[in-house]
Amino acid sequence: METVLVLAVFIVIGAGFALAGVLAYTGRWRSWAASMRWWEFGKRPRFGFFCLFVGIAVLVVPLSVVIHEVIGVEAIAKAIVWLAIPAGALALMCFVGLPGFLKPRWYKEWVARGAIQHEVYPPAAPGAAGWLRKR
């Protein structure tokens, strides 16, 4: 029972990171690009891409355990675990920078225009919503 609970927690965490990363990569979630995190080096934020690669790395390990238990084929489970290594390496690369071919078109175009903050995080709305956003 404990193993199932731990696997479920890892699947939920990995799926959440992967979903956020997919939204960031496709450009549906861009507000993360408005500011740098304290752990990011370089000139531009890469938190959205970090979410994608961490989500993949965290998600493949419990999925391989589930596949091993349900299907019973250990070779497939081991092959899936090997996907965590490049995903983890790409997540670490997000600390310092990603190669251009790994960045989506919207991000490259945004940086080429000068990485204007209000393009990815619109100015605060008037009224109470704007006051809350400024805090």
Side-chain angles (χ1 to χ4, degrees):
M1 184 63 181
E2 296 168 1
T3 306
V4 173
L5 182 62
V6 169
L7 288 175
V9 167
F10 273 101
I11 288 172
V12 168
I13 290 170
F17 270 105
L19 178 63
V22 167
L23 291 174
Y25 209 82
T26 59
R28 297 192 189 278
W29 175 44
R30 296 182 182 194
S31 62
W32 60 268
S35 62
M36 295 280 291
R37 290 359 176 233
W38 64 270
W39 48 264
E40 291 179 307
F41 301 102
K43 296 180 182 179
R44 306 283 178 252
R46 293 165 304 278
F47 178 69
F49 310 138
F50 175 78
C51 288
L52 176 65
F53 300 127
V54 166
I56 293 169
V58 170
L59 198 55
V60 296
V61 175
L63 286 179
S64 70
V65 172
V66 169
I67 286 174
H68 184 303
E69 294 298 321
V70 172
I71 298 175
V73 180
E74 189 173 341
I76 295 174
K78 285 183 181 180
I80 290 174
V81 168
W82 280 99
L83 293 174
I85 294 171
L90 288 170
L92 290 176
M93 285 178 64
C94 287
F95 287 110
V96 291
L98 286 173
F101 69 91
L102 288 175
K103 298 174 187 170
R105 184 180 349 168
W106 74 265
Y107 185 81
K108 290 189 272 189
E109 290 172 355
W110 175 69
V111 169
R113 286 191 305 273
I116 302 167
Q117 183 180 10
H118 70 80
E119 287 183 7
V120 293
Y121 193 73
W131 181 81
L132 287 173
R133 182 182 271 179
K134 290 179 187 175
R135 302 292 173 244

